[in-house]
Amino acid sequence: MRNLKVLPILIGIGLLLMNCEDKQTSKQSENAVVKDSIVTKKQPKKETTKKAETDFPKLTDANAMEFFLEYDKENKENKVRITTDFGTIDILLYDKTKFHRSNFIYLTKRKYFDGTQFYRVVKDFVIQGGSSDGLDLYKKRRKIGKYLLPPDTKRGYEHKRGAISMPSSEINNPHMLASPYEFFIVVTKPGSYHLDGEFTPFGKVIEGMDVVDKINSVKTEKGDWPSQNIYIQKAEVIE
């Protein structure tokens, strides 16, 4: 009889516990749904970012020119601000040098120049930027692609003081094909006109030549490498 009396009590306690567990599970389920729904709301932003990164083809010598012709149609901006350790440099890009302008705008929008350096400084001649000795740079270039740009030297532009131009590739390069990731700014007064016909001036400094001169005045080591690292903190399209 004692056992029979205890059994209903145990059953009642069991049902009570089960009911509590059901309520707790229900609460956990509700929390999980709310949490998942929040994640789901944020997910499209991640997908959009990933899609934007893969919208562009990996560039090669075979497809770069066609790509920049198409890119030029929807990306008409022609001003870029370069922020350095010494201040900002504003550059106007020439519309006539279409491939070089589009290339520079494209790399700027891809954040390629951010974190690179002015790695070559030749006193009273040029400052040269767009490279560094960091592993991140190699990863950026590998992601964008390997290609060269043809010279475009017959547009009437000269290597006057403040001109921005593109160096030729270091490989065996009889046609003076340009290295698209790098650029140099002429410091010489009134200019370095002996470069005309060999390299392509594709823009000019419109504000910040005092910053260019400051960079040109730093001490250098062997190979014209500055004694102190001069970083391009960021490059951004301003118009």
Side-chain angles (χ1 to χ4, degrees), residues 20-66:
C20 291
E21 288 178 358
D22 288 342
K23 290 181 179 179
Q24 184 65 26
T25 302
S26 177
K27 290 181 180 179
Q28 290 175 351
S29 299
E30 289 175 2
N31 289 338
V33 169
V34 171
K35 186 176 181 180
D36 288 345
S37 66
I38 293 174
V39 173
T40 303
K41 290 179 182 178
K42 291 183 179 180
Q43 192 63 33
K45 183 180 290 186
K46 294 182 179 180
E47 290 176 355
T48 302
T49 302
K50 186 174 181 180
K51 182 179 180 182
E53 291 177 353
T54 57
D55 276 346
F56 303 112
K58 194 168 185 177
L59 297 180
T60 66
D61 288 334
N63 68 3
M65 296 303 98
E66 181 180 355

Side-chain angles (χ1 to χ4, degrees), residues 59-78:
L59 297 180
T60 66
D61 288 334
N63 68 3
M65 296 303 98
E66 181 180 355
F67 171 78
F68 286 123
L69 278 176
E70 291 299 316
Y71 189 80
D72 175 74
K73 294 177 181 179
E74 296 184 2
N75 297 269
K76 297 293 186 181
E77 301 94 336
N78 63 355

Side-chain angles (χ1 to χ4, degrees), residues 9 16 22 29 37 40 42 54 66 79 90-91 93 97 105 140 142-145 159-160 170 176 196 201 206 237:
I9 297 174
L16 179 62
D22 288 342
S29 299
S37 66
T40 303
K42 291 183 179 180
T54 57
E66 181 180 355
K79 290 182 182 177
D90 289 353
I91 295 170
L93 304 175
T97 51
I105 291 294
K140 284 183 180 181
R142 187 175 179 181
K143 189 174 184 179
I144 295 170
H159 285 86
K160 59 186 178 181
E170 294 180 355
M176 300 297 287
D196 294 349
I206 55 176
V237 175

Side-chain angles (χ1 to χ4, degrees), residues 4-21:
L4 292 176
K5 290 181 179 179
V6 172
L7 185 58
I9 297 174
L10 292 176
I11 292 173
I13 293 173
L15 291 173
L16 179 62
L17 291 174
M18 288 176 63
N19 187 39
C20 291
E21 288 178 358

